[in-house]
Amino acid sequence: MDFAEKVKYVRTMLKLSQENFAHELGVSFATINRWENGNYNPSRLARKAFEEYCEKNNVSFPKEENY
């Protein structure tokens, strides 16, 4: 799962709009949109904030199976 997929997964699991999710993370709507579309990679600080948000909200990602 790449970063774009993780962002969308977390947002949909928490039933948040892109705008609400952006507010939760302290970034703009456009930033969330770019992350989800894979048009922009986050800075280390933004990635860390995303990871901490996931931990705080007990979000875990599905295990990837290798075929």
Side-chain angles (χ1 to χ4, degrees), residues 8-31:
K8 188 165 189 171
Y9 176 80
V10 170
R11 185 178 64 76
T12 56
M13 289 294 296
L14 298 175
K15 296 179 171 80
L16 295 170
S17 67
Q18 287 184 337
E19 189 171 335
N20 289 337
F21 193 43
H23 180 74
E24 291 281 320
L25 290 175
V27 298
S28 70
F29 160 80
T31 297

Side-chain angles (χ1 to χ4, degrees), residues 28-67:
S28 70
F29 160 80
T31 297
I32 296 297
N33 187 272
R34 289 181 193 125
W35 286 354
E36 282 192 15
N37 291 318
N39 296 333
Y40 181 78
N41 289 318
S43 66
R44 283 188 193 159
L45 186 60
R47 186 178 291 265
K48 182 175 171 137
F50 173 76
E51 290 169 0
E52 288 174 353
Y53 181 83
C54 292
E55 287 177 22
K56 182 177 95 177
N57 288 282
N58 298 316
V59 175
S60 59
F61 299 99
K63 301 274 187 219
E64 292 185 28
E65 295 183 29
N66 295 327
Y67 294 97

